[in-house]
Amino acid sequence: MEKRVQRIKELLEEKKAEDVQIFDLRDKGYFVDFVVIATSLGDKHTLALLDFLKEKLKPEGEQFLKIQSSEDWVVIDLGDIIVHIMTEAYRKRYNIEEFLEEIKEQE
């Protein structure tokens, strides 16, 4: 599973996503094991990153179970991994990292 998450991070960074973070939430009672968060350079970049991930990961056997998207935010459900790609403004607005850090620190 770590290889899958690292692959996602590498692909996002390859296409200039910024501040890509991985949250390992295994054994924390969260509904997925990993969450990946990345900042896009703008609205078109957000959707381009989604397309790039689909293009690269589907042939590797990754299943995109559900995708919710707007120009500012994309959420990709890969089953045991959730990927959030959002513009800088949305990332600051929702501050998902703080919420995930709280979950991560729970025992």
Side-chain angles (χ1 to χ4, degrees), residues 7-24:
R7 176 76 172 134
I8 292 165
K9 181 178 181 179
E10 289 168 8
L11 289 171
L12 289 168
E13 289 175 340
E14 178 181 329
K15 288 298 179 185
K16 307 299 184 218
E18 297 178 341
D19 194 19
V20 181
Q21 294 185 354
I22 297 171
F23 292 85
D24 182 346

Side-chain angles (χ1 to χ4, degrees), residues 56-83:
K56 295 296 183 179
L57 294 174
K58 281 186 175 184
E60 296 176 10
E62 200 69 65
Q63 292 186 350
F64 288 67
L65 302 177
K66 180 130 175 100
I67 298 170
Q68 293 184 329
S69 64
S70 72
E71 290 182 342
D72 297 302
W73 189 335
V74 172
V75 180
I76 306 165
D77 181 354
L78 301 173
D80 46 6
I81 301 169
I82 293 286
V83 180

